[in-house]
């Protein structure tokens, strides 16, 4: 009997050893936590990823098991588990190395396509604030108001205007402006200094429970650096009186548990236009990060941005054709504006227990905006012209909080996340007025105060069945809309509220280590403006969007990755507030379907090629064939280029982008012409501390139209109005040089 008891005790001890958990923390050489590192037990086959604080737990691990820890951009660490590592949390240090595509394993990445974009950024860094959004595959932008206005965005067959159908955030703080004076979702990203970007998280379609308002075509989330590798000063200058200065300074050095840095950017230029833009922008950014002994992380960021500019506006094609103006001339050169934004964001990542983490941030933004435009010249007012002023003053407060817990359902590992969010916008004197020469108010068309509140909650899970994963999700959004029309004779507040539930369901299957199939599906909603909601008495004001994606990420060779997606998106309805006219336009039911294709090829250690192409068919369902085109919806887009890194102190890239012809009106009788533009950047490390740079936009000096609209207008000399293409010319050959000093 005694022998039996001893044997049972021995067996139980062995089982206990087999069931132990290895706990560790993955950091870089500066002791900063590394997120999403892949931890793989090569003996048992178990795997996990490090969380935001670098910590990981991997079960069923025993002494002698072989473990590998890796992440693209770091040397893979391999070791055998010893008694000390089983008993205590161990720090594992990964050394940085040059990004190499052959190290990417599809099944080891949480989001393979986003990981690939990290490689794109490493091989071809962002050179300007306009380049920031272009890093998202398939996303196009266009500027049409002197460089200070938010860019027009195109993605998946949407003319997103300035952000109506794509949710954009920085460190968890929303960029999109609800119920904006110029248009719903207005997203001015110019307060983000490109060199402070750490990673870009993005997703296409309404498939993500953690993202709500504006997430129709997709979302883009930027995160900023926690610390600088080194301080630096950059000065660049070029044609058109362009100058940019950038200073990035470490404020706390050589401390592993805290860091702080500040960045300041000044940009000025006149552009290629005959009427100088007089553009200038000032950005100030600071960030402090502290890591506590229990691996909790606190970050505080503060930023201020201010900008002013003049603009030549969109010009009619007929005025260029008859020689009355050149491509870079103007009909009304009194357009332009000024804007500013101040942000404070506090973020906390906290580990509640070994299996549970909390991620929260709260933010405040102070925002001012004033824009003068003239799209129709003398159509409405043949004496004074049709200049309009759009203006607002806004305060935003909000918070986001989510808890993620790793557990098991039987033998199935499950990651469960739930979250809560709150955002309140207080907009005072949101205005649309007719004006003259940016100095005289002729008539108030709209003037009022609005308050909009969005409270949201979500829950999502991911069930890991080995090669097969299921990720369901559910999101709830509550909106409160309030508007006080100051042009009414008596004080009256119009108020509406709306609640909407959005389910999601995604599937992933790893056919092998280097091929993943996915099927994503979800229901979202089209965002809407407070003025639309109250005018429509709360009816049909959050039309649903139904989407599905079927695709694959495949690595057929060690140096080649191909990703594809076949997708479909249906919208019930859109009520759009047209800020330029102060009217509401219903657009009816729409559908879009398309194909995304991406390719990454590392030719050798120093030469890298990438390309993305999209084809989209976009149609209105409530109009007859031939009259059901969606104006300005892109049909075919392509981007790509070659990047050179670490070649005898040289680095750089040759980039191209192509946007095909697309309909400018509903019957396609007016066509917005496509373009093909090539840019070049080249850098040379003169020494360890000094780098010389050269940037050429539009290398081959082609004539191209950056933005185009089918607009009805009348010139001062005309009796009748004309509807035709009005455009903003794209930048011609544009050369500038830079010098960077690091210390």
């Amino acid at each position: 009997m005694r022998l039996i008891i001893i044997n049972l005790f021995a067996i139980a001890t062995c089982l206990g050893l087999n069931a132990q958990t290895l706990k560790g923390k993955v950091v870089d050489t500066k002791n900063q936590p590394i997120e999403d590192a892949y931890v793989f037990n090569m003996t048992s086959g178990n795997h996990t990823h490090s969380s935001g604080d670098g910590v990981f737990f991997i079960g069923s691990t025993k002494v002698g098991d072989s473990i590998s820890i890796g992440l693209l951009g770091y040397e893979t660490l391999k070791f055998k588990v010893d008694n000390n590592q089983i008993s205590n949390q161990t720090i594992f240090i990964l050394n940085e190395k040059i990004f190499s595509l052959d190290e990417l394993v599809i099944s080891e990445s949480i989001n393979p396509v986003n990981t690939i974009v990290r490689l794109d950024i490493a091989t071809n860094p962002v050179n300007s604030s306009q380049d920031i959004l272009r890093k998202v595959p398939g996303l196009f932008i266009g500027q049409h108001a002197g460089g200070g206005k938010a860019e027009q965005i195109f993605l998946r067959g949407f003319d997103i205007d300035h952000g109506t159908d794509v949710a954009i955030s920085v460190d968890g703080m929303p960029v999109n402006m609800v119920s904006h004076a110029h248009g719903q979702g207005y997203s001015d990203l110019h307060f983000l200094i490109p060199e402070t970007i750490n990673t870009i998280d993005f997703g296409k379609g309404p498939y993500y429970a953690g993202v709500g308002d504006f997430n129709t075509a997709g979302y883009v989330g930027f995160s900023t650096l926690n610390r600088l590798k080194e301080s630096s000063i950059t000065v660049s200058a070029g044609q058109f009186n362009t100058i940019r200065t950038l200073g990035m300074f470490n404020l706390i050095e050589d401390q592993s548990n805290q860091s702080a840095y500040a960045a300041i950017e000044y940009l000025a230029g006149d552009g290629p236009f005959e009427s100088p833009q007089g553009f200038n922008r000032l950005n100030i950014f600071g960030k402090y990060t502290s890591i506590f002994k229990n691996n909790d992380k606190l970050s505080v960021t503060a930023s201020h941005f201010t900008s002013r500019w003049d603009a030549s506006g969109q010009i009619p094609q007929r005025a260029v054709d008859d020689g009355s103006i050149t491509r870079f001339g103007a009909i009304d050169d009194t357009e332009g504006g000024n804007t500013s934004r101040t942000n404070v964001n506090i973020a906390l990542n906290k580990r509640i227990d070994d299996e549970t983490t909390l991620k929260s941030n709260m933010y405040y933004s102070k925002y001012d905006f004033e824009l003068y435009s003239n799209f129709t010249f003398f159509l409405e007012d043949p004496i004074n012209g049709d200049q309009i002023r759009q203006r607002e003053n806004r305060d935003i407060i909000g918070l986001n909080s989510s808890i993620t817990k790793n557990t098991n359902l039987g033998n199935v590992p499950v990651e469960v996340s739930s979250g809560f969010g709150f955002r309140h916008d207080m907009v005072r004197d949101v205005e649309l007025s007719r004006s003259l020469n940016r100095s005289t108010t002729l008539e108030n068309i709209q003037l009022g105060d609005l308050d909009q509140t969005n409270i949201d909650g979500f829950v999502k899970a991911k069930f890991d069945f080995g090669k097969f994963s299921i990720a369901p999700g559910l999101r709830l959004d509550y909106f409160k809309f309030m508007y006080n029309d100051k042009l009414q004779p008596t004080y009256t507040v119009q108020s509406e509220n709306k609640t909407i539930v959005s389910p999601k369901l995604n599937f992933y299957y790893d056919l092998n280590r280097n091929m993943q199939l996915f099927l994503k599906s979800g229901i979202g909603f089209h965002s809407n403006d407070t003025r639309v909601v109250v005018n429509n008495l709360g009816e049909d004001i959050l039309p649903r969007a139904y989407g599905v994606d079927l695709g694959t990420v495949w690595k057929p060779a060690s140096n080649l990755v191909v990703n594809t997606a076949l997708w479909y998106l249906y919208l019930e309805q859109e009520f759009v507030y047209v800020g330029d006219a102060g009217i509401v336009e219903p657009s009816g039911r729409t559908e879009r379907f398309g194909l995304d294709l991406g390719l990454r090829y590392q030719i050798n250690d120093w030469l890298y090629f990438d390309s993305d192409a999209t084809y989209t068919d976009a149609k209105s369902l409530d109009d007859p064939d031939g009259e059901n085109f969606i104006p300005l919806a892109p049909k075919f887009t392509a981007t790509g280029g070659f990047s050179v890194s670490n070649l005898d102190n040289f680095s750089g890239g040759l980039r191209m982008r192509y946007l095909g012809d697309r309909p400018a009106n509903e019957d396609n009788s007016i066509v917005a012409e496509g373009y093909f533009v090539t840019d070049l950047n080249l850098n040379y490390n003169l020494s360890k501390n000094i780098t010389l740079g050269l940037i050429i936009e539009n290398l081959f000096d082609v004539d191209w139209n950056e933005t185009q609209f089918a607009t009805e207008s009348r010139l001062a000399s005309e009796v009748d109005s004309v509807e035709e293409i009005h455009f903003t010319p794209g930048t011609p050959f544009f050369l500038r040089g830079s010098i960077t000093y690091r210390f």
Side-chain angles (χ1 to χ4, degrees), residues 202-270:
F202 68 91
K204 300 178 185 178
Y207 313 128
Y208 314 98
V211 191
D213 204 9
F214 305 110
N215 179 32
T216 311
Y219 77 91
V220 184
F222 297 93
S223 63
T224 58
L225 295 164
N226 286 323
R227 68 165 57 210
L228 301 180
K229 292 182 180 179
E230 55 199 351
S231 299
S232 64
I233 296 175
T234 300
V235 178
S236 61
Q239 294 175 273
F240 317 126
N241 298 321
T242 301
I243 187 169
R244 181 186 187 233
T245 60
L246 171 68
M248 301 184 70
F249 307 101
N250 264 319
L251 304 180
I252 298 177
E253 296 189 53
D254 302 324
Q255 293 195 31
S256 60
N257 64 337
Q258 60 178 334
S259 62
Y261 69 93
I264 182 168
E265 175 194 44
Y266 176 75
L267 181 63
D270 288 333

Side-chain angles (χ1 to χ4, degrees), residues 603-625:
I603 300 170
N604 53 41
D605 291 342
W606 53 268
L607 185 59
Y608 176 77
F609 172 77
D610 68 278
S611 180
D612 291 284
T614 65
Y615 173 79
T616 304
D617 185 76
K619 291 288 189 296
S620 169
L621 297 179
D622 294 329
D623 297 307
D625 288 344

Side-chain angles (χ1 to χ4, degrees), residues 291-510:
I291 300 175
F292 305 104
K293 290 183 179 180
N294 58 356
N295 297 317
D296 294 347
K297 182 173 74 173
L298 175 70
S299 294
V300 180
T301 61
S303 65
H304 176 73
F305 138 83
T306 183
S307 178
R308 64 88 49 211
W309 67 96
D310 300 321
S312 297
Q314 298 147 32
I315 57 175
Q317 184 65 53
R318 62 187 183 276
V320 178
D321 292 342
D322 66 20
S324 34
I325 62 171
T326 70
R327 280 179 50 80
F328 297 98
I331 301 298
D332 182 353
D333 62 359
T334 65
E335 298 187 33
N338 56 81
T339 186
S340 68
R341 180 169 179 167
T342 302
N343 305 303
V344 178
N345 190 23
I346 302 173
L348 174 67
N349 287 3
K350 181 177 179 61
R351 181 163 291 278
I352 298 175
D353 57 42
D354 287 353
E355 305 295 339
T356 311
T357 56
L358 170 71
K359 184 176 183 180
S360 299
N361 75 292
M362 58 181 180
Y363 55 87
Y364 168 76
S365 292
K366 175 67 175 177
Y367 174 77
D368 293 287
F369 173 85
E370 185 176 40
L371 178 68
Y372 293 87
S373 308
N374 189 345
F375 303 107
T376 55
F377 312 122
F378 293 93
L379 177 67
E380 304 293 339
D381 188 338
I383 305 300
N384 298 303
D386 297 347
Q387 185 181 89
I388 59 172
R389 178 178 68 229
Q390 295 164 311
R391 184 163 59 183
E392 68 167 60
N393 181 292
R394 177 185 301 249
D395 294 274
I396 311 170
I397 58 173
L399 65 88
N400 302 291
S401 187
S402 63
I403 293 178
T404 299
K405 184 176 181 62
N406 290 289
T407 184
N408 287 280
L409 185 62
N411 294 323
V412 178
V414 183
E415 181 183 271
V416 181
S417 296
S418 59
F420 165 83
F422 167 84
R423 172 179 175 172
H424 181 64
D425 288 64
M426 299 165 285
V427 191
R428 298 298 171 255
D429 296 323
V430 57
E431 173 190 346
L432 171 63
S433 299
R434 295 181 54 245
S435 59
L436 177 65
N437 294 325
R438 289 174 69 164
S439 59
T440 303
T441 301
L442 301 176
E443 178 189 7
N444 290 130
I445 301 172
Q446 284 195 338
L447 180 65
D449 297 335
L450 64 85
D451 292 81
Q452 182 169 326
T453 304
N454 179 199
I455 301 173
D456 68 80
F458 73 88
V459 60
K460 61 180 181 178
K462 186 173 184 180
F463 298 85
D464 187 352
F465 297 95
K467 290 187 174 184
F468 182 62
S469 299
I470 302 176
L474 189 67
R475 181 180 180 87
L476 182 144
D477 282 274
Y478 168 82
F479 291 90
K480 180 72 173 182
F481 306 93
M482 300 176 67
Y483 182 64
N484 170 30
D485 188 348
K486 289 188 172 182
L487 298 183
Q488 296 300 315
T490 59
Y491 175 82
T492 303
V493 175
Q494 297 171 277
S495 176
E496 297 288 346
N497 58 74
K498 181 71 173 180
T499 302
I500 189 167
V501 178
S502 306
K504 327 283 182 180
L505 183 60
N506 302 324
F507 302 89
Y508 304 89
Y509 180 68
D510 293 327

Side-chain angles (χ1 to χ4, degrees), residues 653-667:
L654 184 70
R655 309 294 305 167
M656 73 84 183
R657 60 186 185 275
Y658 171 78
L659 177 63
D661 293 349
R662 58 200 191 280
N665 60 354
E666 288 78 1
D667 63 5

Side-chain angles (χ1 to χ4, degrees), residues 7 39 43 49 60 67 73 76 117 147 152 158 209 234 276 345 353 355 412 530 543 565 592 616 664 671:
N7 288 335
V39 184
T43 305
H49 288 86
S60 300
I67 305 292
T76 299
V117 172
Q152 186 180 9
F158 281 87
T234 300
N345 190 23
D353 57 42
E355 305 295 339
V412 178
T530 290
R592 295 166 172 84
T616 304
V671 176

Side-chain angles (χ1 to χ4, degrees), residues 19 29 70 115 152-153 159 173 188 305 353 585 684 712 742:
T29 54
T115 302
Q152 186 180 9
I153 302 172
D159 170 14
M173 179 183 66
D188 189 345
F305 138 83
D353 57 42
E585 286 187 352
Y684 178 72
E712 182 183 4
R742 296 176 295 276

